[in-house]
Amino acid sequence: MAAATSRRDFLKVTASAAGLLLAYRAAPAAQAQEVATLSAYVRIGPDGLVTIMAKHPDMGQGVATSLPMLIAEELDVAWENVRVEQAPADAELYGNQRSGGSRTIAMNWDDLRRVGAVGRATLIQAAAVGWRCAPHECSTLPGRVVHDASGRSASYAALAPLCAALTAIPMDSVTLKAAKDYRIVGKSMTQLATPAIVTGKPLFGIDVVRPGMLYAVYEKAPVFRARVASADLDAVKAVKGVHDAFIIEGGDEPDGLVSGVAIVADSWWRANQARSKLNVRWADHAGSDQSTAGFARAAAALNQGPPHETLRQDGDVSMAWTKATKTVEAAYDYPFLAHAPLEPMNCTADYRDGRIELWAPTRNPGGVREGVAKTLGLPLKDVTVNVVRSGGAFGRRAQVDVYVEAAAISKRVNAPVKLLWTREDDIRHDFYRPAGFHFLKGGVDADGRVVAWQDHFVTFGDAKQAASSAGLAPTEFPARFVPNCRIVSSRIPLNAPTGPWRAPGSNALAFVMQAFIDELAHAADKDPLDFRMQLLGDAAVVGDGANAYDAGRMRGVLSAVAEMSHWRNRGSQGKRTGLGVAFHYSHAGYFAEVVKVRVDDDGRVRPLQVWVAGDVGSTIINPSGADSQVVGSVIDGFSAALHQKITIENGATVESNFTDYPLLRIGDAPPVEVRFVKTDNPPTGLGEPALPPAIPALVNAVFAATGVRIRSLPIDTALLRA
């Protein structure tokens, strides 16, 4: 078996074999005015417009703008002459196309700049051949190659068709621009889809229309994994406009095709209305005895016994308690959360003649392609996935359930079908951010230093491992920064599916760790920000490789946010008003945040101002997009902290819509000031790392305003009434 090929090697090999990643296309003289395909990423038209393929799906995080900016910068074209198209799912051409984990920029920072640089070098080579000069005698201005000595120049549009006959330029042979020479990268650019979004033009998966398309809904059991026992299909088929109704047996894994009833009609409204006629009966399932209240009881019981697993053991925690001048014990918990994207889950599928084509708003196009092929028993080559812009989701669109459902329904009726979930479907059949329980104890010495830390983390999973996104890394801060540290874990069985929510794991863990650190700061009678600085210590980097924690970078953002918020001069903020601080490292980003809140006499929490300092490396590719990601992260965090929870009763989700699972409204959203601390590190992503500190900074501000500790989310306003 051949050795695995790295993505960089893939780029090199393909470039040398086929010409800049995938074949230059010859342009005969008769076609000289046609668009010239420079590479799989770049097409240049006779009018000088440059089309750049957006390799990764865009869920609103802006990668369909920021990634083409990297190519355009090194290609040296004017941004106003760039057009962007979404690349189809094609691992052979584009490699890993999955968006997520705030890794998209880090994965592509070097390679996509080289794609642009190779394109520019190839255009220079084409000009040099024609002018009978050496390539190094030429340079570029946006969209043109210039012969420096003679002043001759030629447009990219004229040169692009000539590139097909040239020998491919190796990816690693090109020289990339210095940051000081950037014309595009580092400049604020409006997301290219914004005009279509604000004018309501068809753009998202929910907007897709195909000739002869039918519409479908899919009814699944309230209790996850339960199967259909019976349904009144004849009554549904009798409804006007209904094309068909049928039971799909499916399997037991939520991230796939599970049992349900499909209704297909000539309009989505008719299909959805026909659901009321189903009279479906579901088979009994063991998961129906699970509940949120039962989980809390189980967690409390597990905390009284020996843990299932020891995650970390440093020093002698038992001895350390005797040396601590003060100890604090507290129990923290947080609920399940749904993604609740503004665009509910949907997919359009067209099965015919043993092949299927999908229009999928997904962040995981390769996974969709593989999942559909497996479900329908098709070879991968017979599955085409067109990636459509997603209306949000941060993690939810990594799963393939809705896409394989649409594919199976289309195959059954042998027609193009759009499957669209209702809001209720979306919230009640999610892959939830897992709930969790932490039983904590900490000790500080006479100098206010943390000398002992203990956490019994009760989460969800089976005997072998935690459920998806329900784990706790043994390196989670403040591990490695406290000499005596014991972290143990126990697990509760769970039937409901879980998965990554925005900033997986960190979205909940930062709340617990940073809020309890605040409790220890108060016990030590220390300024909360100074206490954190002391806890970080003087070390530069703790650990190495993927587990490295750069304390110096964290001190940098903590200092920056202290300056931004005038923390040192905060004094009295007024009646029931206070400031809270928190920091967190996740998804390769270092963030510190300060929140100012006022708590009304009725207990309502009003965020007034947020300051955010972040370190995501040396370069902010699109500053306006970066600011938007930070602001959105803060608002998502506040929505969760103030309003959101998913409750399980009798094995099923109780909440169903924005009436009982609300988002933060615009009138309640505070101003957010953002500052990026640039350091000599490669740039990393921004979709997630700004969210985790927002929640603990908020609850720490609530304590500063009221003296009440928030140890359970969402915040119970009854606890805060004057």
Side-chain angles (χ1 to χ4, degrees):
M1 180 176 179
T5 302
S6 72
R7 182 160 145 52
R8 171 54 63 83
D9 288 337
F10 172 86
L11 291 173
K12 291 180 185 175
V13 170
T14 311
S16 61
L20 181 51
L21 265 187
L22 342 289
Y24 298 119
R25 183 179 67 193
Q31 299 178 342
Q33 294 305 307
E34 293 184 0
V35 171
T37 301
L38 192 62
S39 77
Y41 288 91
V42 178
R43 300 194 308 269
I44 300 178
D47 54 3
L49 294 180
V50 178
T51 300
I52 298 177
M53 304 302 288
K55 172 190 165 190
H56 290 262
D58 200 315
M59 302 177 288
Q61 80 276 42
V63 295
T65 299
S66 56
L67 294 185
M69 287 173 68
L70 299 180
I71 296 175
E73 179 67 71
E74 295 291 344
L75 184 62
D76 200 7
V77 294
W79 185 245
E80 60 266 25
N81 291 332
V82 171
R83 304 294 181 265
V84 173
E85 291 182 9
Q86 181 65 55
D90 193 329
E92 292 185 4
L93 288 183
Y94 299 105
N96 182 357
Q97 291 179 265
R98 181 170 178 148
S99 288
S102 295
R103 297 182 62 246
T104 305
I105 293 299
M107 285 192 301
N108 293 284
W109 166 247
D110 189 57
D111 288 340
L112 290 190
R113 287 187 299 149
R114 290 188 180 280
V115 165
V118 168
R120 175 176 175 271
T122 305
L123 290 161
I124 287 176
Q125 187 179 29
V129 169
W131 294 333
R132 299 180 182 275
C133 66
H136 72 264
E137 297 176 18
C138 302
S139 61
T140 61
L141 296 173
R144 300 189 71 81
V145 176
V146 178
H147 183 243
D148 298 329
S150 67
R152 287 178 294 181
S153 71
S155 70
Y156 284 3
L159 294 169
L162 308 178
C163 293
L166 301 177
T167 301
I169 296 173
M171 296 288 290
D172 286 344
S173 69
V174 292
T175 300
L176 300 176
K177 285 185 179 181
K180 64 181 180 60
D181 297 324
Y182 288 162
R183 291 189 176 107
I184 296 172
V185 170
K187 308 299 189 295
S188 288
M189 302 294 182
T190 300
Q191 286 197 32
L192 296 174
T194 297
I197 293 172
V198 300
T199 57
K201 293 181 178 177
L203 181 67
F204 299 95
I206 201 171
D207 300 321
V208 171
V209 177
R210 304 299 301 166
M213 186 176 76
L214 299 173
Y215 298 81
V217 296
Y218 194 52
E219 181 79 357
K220 294 189 284 191
V223 177
F224 302 97
R225 307 171 205 264
R227 293 181 171 274
V228 179
S230 64
D232 193 347
L233 300 179
D234 290 337
V236 172
K237 292 176 183 179
V239 174
K240 181 180 179 181
V242 170
H243 179 86
D244 200 357
F246 46 90
I247 294 172
I248 293 178
E249 292 300 329
D252 295 324
E253 289 304 316
D255 191 15
L257 185 61
V258 300
S259 182
V261 184
I263 303 173
V264 183
D266 58 12
S267 76
W268 183 84
W269 174 259
R270 285 174 167 166
N272 196 49
Q273 290 297 299
R275 293 170 97 159
S276 63
K277 306 290 185 181
L278 264 179
N279 296 317
V280 64
R281 185 173 67 82
W282 305 100
D284 293 338
H285 192 278
S288 62
D289 64 355
Q290 295 189 348
S291 69
T292 293
F295 296 146
R297 291 192 296 269
L302 286 167
N303 184 50
Q304 298 304 311
H308 294 163
E309 182 181 13
T310 297
L311 301 177
R312 189 176 193 94
Q313 180 71 61
D314 294 334
D316 188 336
V317 175
S318 297
M319 180 63 70
W321 300 131
T322 66
K323 298 181 179 180
T325 56
K326 292 184 179 179
T327 60
V328 179
E329 294 187 62
Y332 279 74
D333 67 87
Y334 43 85
F336 295 98
L337 291 180
H339 294 82
L342 294 185
E343 177 197 28
M345 298 297 287
N346 67 89
C347 180
T348 300
D350 186 0
Y351 179 90
R352 62 183 70 193
D353 301 325
R355 300 174 60 87
I356 191 163
E357 185 172 8
L358 298 100
W359 290 262
T362 175
R363 57 164 258 193
N364 182 18
V368 170
R369 198 174 177 209
E370 292 169 3
V372 169
K374 179 180 177 181
T375 300
L376 301 190
L378 296 174
L380 200 61
K381 65 180 180 62
D382 291 336
V383 180
T384 299
V385 176
N386 302 293
V387 181
V388 187
R389 189 180 175 97
S390 302
F394 279 104
R396 179 58 181 95
R397 298 187 196 275
Q399 286 80 23
V400 303
D401 50 346
V402 69
Y403 313 109
V404 299
E405 289 168 6
I409 295 169
S410 178
K411 182 179 180 182
R412 176 69 177 262
V413 300
N414 199 31
V417 171
K418 177 191 285 185
L419 172 63
L420 172 62
W421 288 13
T422 64
R423 177 65 59 198
E424 290 77 9
D425 293 331
D426 203 66
I427 288 180
R428 288 179 169 167
H429 293 284
D430 204 346
F431 287 72
Y432 302 106
R433 191 285 299 274
F437 307 85
H438 294 256
F439 300 90
L440 295 151
K441 184 177 181 180
V444 295
D445 64 13
D447 294 326
R449 297 183 181 277
V450 182
V451 294
W453 179 281
Q454 181 172 289
D455 182 8
H456 187 172
F457 174 42
V458 181
T459 184
F460 295 89
D462 56 28
K464 295 181 179 179
Q465 62 184 3
S468 175
S469 297
L472 172 62
T475 55
E476 186 69 44
F477 190 87
R480 301 180 292 181
F481 290 82
V482 178
N484 304 288
C485 179
R486 184 170 187 257
I487 304 173
V488 297
S489 180
S490 298
R491 293 182 287 275
I492 303 170
L494 179 66
N495 184 50
T498 63
W501 198 77
R502 193 172 189 177
S506 300
N507 53 58
L509 297 175
F511 156 62
V512 174
M513 308 307 171
Q514 288 288 315
F516 191 60
I517 286 171
D518 221 63
E519 293 202 48
L520 293 177
H522 184 72
D525 197 25
K526 292 272 191 176
D527 176 283
L529 195 146
D530 290 340
F531 186 80
R532 286 170 169 79
M533 283 289 197
Q534 180 177 273
L535 182 56
L536 284 166
D538 299 325
V541 179
V542 175
D544 53 26
N547 292 320
Y549 191 107
D550 194 325
R553 294 176 73 180
M554 191 62 82
R555 290 192 296 269
V557 295
L558 199 52
S559 295
V561 84
E563 177 186 309
M564 294 166 66
S565 62
H566 302 288
W567 178 270
R568 303 298 179 191
N569 301 317
R570 66 191 185 283
S572 174
Q573 295 294 316
K575 182 182 178 182
R576 291 173 67 82
T577 302
L579 268 66
V581 63
F583 65 73
H584 194 73
Y585 165 72
S586 71
H587 301 84
Y590 293 81
F591 277 82
E593 304 181 17
V594 170
V595 174
K596 180 178 181 178
V597 302
R598 182 175 69 246
V599 181
D600 293 344
D601 288 346
D602 63 0
R604 180 179 177 183
V605 177
R606 297 180 182 272
L608 301 177
Q609 175 77 46
V610 182
W611 296 269
V612 180
D615 176 354
V616 288
S618 62
T619 307
I620 304 299
I621 295 168
N622 184 1
S624 65
D627 284 355
S628 295
Q629 284 302 296
V630 172
V631 173
S633 292
V634 170
I635 290 173
D636 266 358
F638 285 3
S639 288
L642 295 171
H643 303 303
Q644 295 174 345
K645 65 178 178 179
I646 288 295
T647 309
I648 305 294
E649 289 183 6
N650 299 318
T653 300
V654 174
E655 289 75 18
S656 64
N657 211 313
F658 291 138
T659 53
D660 52 11
Y661 193 82
L663 306 180
L664 194 74
R665 304 301 291 268
I666 192 169
D668 298 321
V672 180
E673 181 182 337
V674 182
R675 179 187 298 180
F676 291 107
V677 178
K678 294 184 180 180
T679 55
D680 188 20
N681 294 281
T684 54
L686 264 172
E688 292 161 299
L691 185 149
I695 298 174
L698 175 70
V699 301
N700 292 339
V702 168
F703 172 77
T706 65
V708 177
R709 285 290 176 193
I710 302 299
R711 298 182 177 126
S712 182
L713 296 178
I715 294 172
D716 182 355
T717 57
L719 300 174
L720 302 176
R721 291 172 186 159

